[in-house]
Amino acid sequence: MRRVTIFGATGSIGQNTIDLIARRPGAFRVIALTGGRNIALLAEQARQVKAALAVTCHAEFYADLKAALSGSGIAVAAGPAGMAEAAARPADWVMSAIVGAAGLQPGLSALEHGGTLALANKESLVTAGPLLISAASTHGARILPVDSEHSAIFQALVGEDPATVERVVITASGGAFRDWPLEALAKATPQQAAVHPNWAMGQRITIDSASMFNKAMELIEVREFFGIAPDRIEVLVHPESLVHALVGFRDGALMAHLGPPDMRHAIGYALNWPERAELPVARLDLARIGRLNFSAPDPARYPALDLARRVMRSGGLAGAAFNAAKEHALDAFIAGRIGFRQMARVVEHTLDILSDESGLADAAIDLDKILAMDRLARIRAGEAIEKQKVNDLR
Ligand code: NAD
Ligand code: MG
């Protein structure tokens, strides 16, 4: 029986993972589940899959979780110590589905046990890609991509020689505001941004899809995960979200991966790998769909893409600064403190300041430097907002 742990079990990816695990009783032994404030759901999931340990990342919810699981025999923990306890228990397969940079440390700990890390948390690759890749090789662990585009690339590469890859194309739906006039974007609200045309996902990644910060992070993720040169990675707007990625080879062949917009495909592929098991996802009827559309992204509408290219050129600590500034800008947008288009200005301004101040292209990175840069970039992004440095797009 494979031992599995899910970080971020109560989120969108986490719930889909539980769904797949619950469909195969007896195949998995659930070591630990972690969640946040949704104690009722976490307790229900822990009972459903008979987890050995349930953890809320918020220490103040310990008593609630304890009460919700009383009599179940399931161990309960909370706060940073609880998260560390979940990370310390060895598992063969760990799902990293916390949102944000908070997913980095649990992912690194999981790699130390040498099993498989199914990586949905793209922020950890953006922030600390080289660290994760080297931790995996040091401990004989494996990282499998869960982001749909990266799973698609991974699948298109099976049996291929990486040296023959000419380019990689990831697709983007264009998000909630794809068809809005540019002028209207400045007034877009968080509620409007949090509706995705095709995918059902958490609030933060959905807003990042509207701004294409999600795609920007995915560009960096391709770079870090597959080691593809930045100028060989392209983004294509594809409103139907049925083609997830394409890999172009040196003989001109382009291998596309198609599937319905259902994360259970990518999660299930990583869960069952190297086996391709049956999955409960809809089958595409291409005759009925009839037509697929593609276009180049407009850089003025999606400035996040150029920022990602800047980060890839820089390397070092630029990814940590970029991700932290983006998280801060997203918090400020959700709180109504800045407008939709100002998010990219905040990130750009923060990268400018930090490049002058500390130099971001530091070749030798380690966890301490990354965490320090994460903190500093949040402070600088906050100052940029306070000092109204980003007001021109209001
Ligand atoms: P979500 O907001 O639905 O869930 C996030 C989970 O993380 C919850 O369980 C929450 O309790 C937990 N969490 C939040 N902050 C935490 C913290 N500081 N410490 C510990 N736990 C914390 O998010 P999601 O949409 O499931 O996305 C999860 C990750 O997967 C993100 O990195 C996202 O970019 C990536 N991803 C998601 C999708 C998708 O379809 N939702 C697709 C591709 C990649
Ligand atoms: Mg994706």
Side-chain angles (χ1 to χ4, degrees):
M1 247 202 280
R2 284 171 78 200
R3 298 167 302 172
V4 307
T5 283
I6 306 174
F7 286 97
T10 53
S12 167
I13 292 284
Q15 290 180 54
N16 279 315
T17 310
I18 295 273
D19 176 81
L20 293 178
I21 285 173
R23 283 166 194 267
R24 293 184 58 189
F28 305 102
R29 184 148 64 86
V30 178
I31 302 297
L33 299 182
T34 83
R37 293 190 161 77
N38 194 342
I39 299 302
L41 177 60
L42 179 59
E44 181 193 320
Q45 290 176 324
R47 287 179 191 269
Q48 183 188 7
V49 298
K50 302 185 170 55
L53 172 69
V55 178
T56 162
C57 66
H58 302 291
E60 63 273 27
F61 288 117
Y62 175 80
D64 291 350
L65 186 58
K66 185 93 189 147
L69 284 172
S70 74
S72 66
I74 297 168
V76 168
M83 296 298 288
E85 155 129 43
R89 296 194 179 189
D92 305 304
W93 190 90
V94 174
M95 167 55 80
S96 166
I98 288 173
V99 63
L104 174 59
Q105 271 155 315
L108 280 171
S109 308
L111 289 172
E112 285 166 16
H113 297 304
T116 296
L117 180 67
L119 192 64
N121 178 270
K122 61 191 79 186
E123 295 88 348
S124 46
L125 268 182
V126 171
T127 305
L131 224 58
L132 282 169
I133 304 293
S134 81
S137 94
T138 305
H139 301 287
R142 179 176 290 277
I143 306 176
L144 294 176
V146 173
D147 216 341
S148 55
E149 298 76 5
H150 306 74
S151 174
I153 297 164
F154 189 76
Q155 294 179 49
L157 285 173
V158 170
E160 302 288 352
D161 175 356
T164 64
V165 173
E166 201 169 60
R167 62 182 174 139
V168 164
V169 185
I170 55 176
T171 62
S173 70
F177 306 140
R178 185 183 57 223
D179 302 320
W180 283 35
L182 260 188
E183 315 75 66
L185 284 185
K187 296 208 162 56
T189 66
Q191 291 71 27
Q192 289 166 323
V195 180
H196 198 282
N198 305 323
W199 295 91
M201 308 187 287
Q203 179 204 36
R204 298 180 74 85
I205 182 174
T206 304
I207 300 175
D208 283 348
S209 297
S211 62
M212 272 215 204
F213 266 110
N214 181 48
K215 212 49 55 179
M217 291 198 287
E218 290 181 358
L219 280 172
I220 302 169
E221 206 184 346
V222 173
R223 162 93 189 116
E224 298 297 340
F225 192 87
F226 298 101
I228 310 258
D231 58 353
R232 292 171 182 263
I233 315 170
E234 301 166 24
V235 174
L236 201 53
V237 176
H238 167 47
E240 293 85 0
S241 297
L242 298 178
V243 176
H244 303 307
L246 308 97
V247 179
F249 294 92
R250 67 182 179 197
D251 60 355
L254 203 48
M255 305 286 278
H257 178 282
L258 285 81
D262 183 337
M263 283 309 293
R264 290 178 306 174
H265 172 76
I267 297 167
Y269 187 80
L271 183 62
N272 298 304
W273 185 90
E275 187 194 337
R276 195 182 273 283
E278 202 169 313
L279 290 174
V281 301
R283 273 43 175 174
L284 290 185
D285 179 349
L286 288 174
R288 194 180 56 73
I289 293 159
R291 182 186 292 268
L292 298 175
N293 292 280
F294 301 96
S295 61
D298 170 6
R301 181 176 291 270
Y302 301 117
L305 297 179
D306 279 344
L307 291 173
R309 297 208 178 271
R310 172 176 172 183
V311 167
M312 290 192 285
R313 279 194 304 275
S314 168
L317 292 166
F322 172 82
N323 180 69
K326 193 280 295 178
E327 289 191 22
H328 190 90
L330 178 57
D331 289 338
F333 173 64
I334 292 172
R337 291 170 53 222
I338 59 172
F340 180 76
R341 298 187 74 194
Q342 287 175 297
M343 285 191 285
R345 291 284 295 121
V346 171
V347 175
E348 185 182 13
H349 186 81
T350 306
L351 289 176
D352 288 347
I353 296 256
L354 289 171
S355 308
D356 291 348
E357 204 173 89
S358 53
L360 291 172
D362 183 342
I365 58 166
D366 57 33
L367 187 59
D368 288 343
K369 283 187 189 167
I370 286 170
L371 296 177
M373 180 51 74
D374 180 281
R375 284 190 296 271
L376 182 61
R378 286 170 206 265
I379 293 169
R380 294 291 177 264
E383 288 166 355
I385 294 169
E386 290 284 299
K387 293 181 190 151
Q388 315 245 322
K389 298 270 191 205
V390 291
N391 257 359
D392 46 332
L393 291 173
R394 189 52 132 177

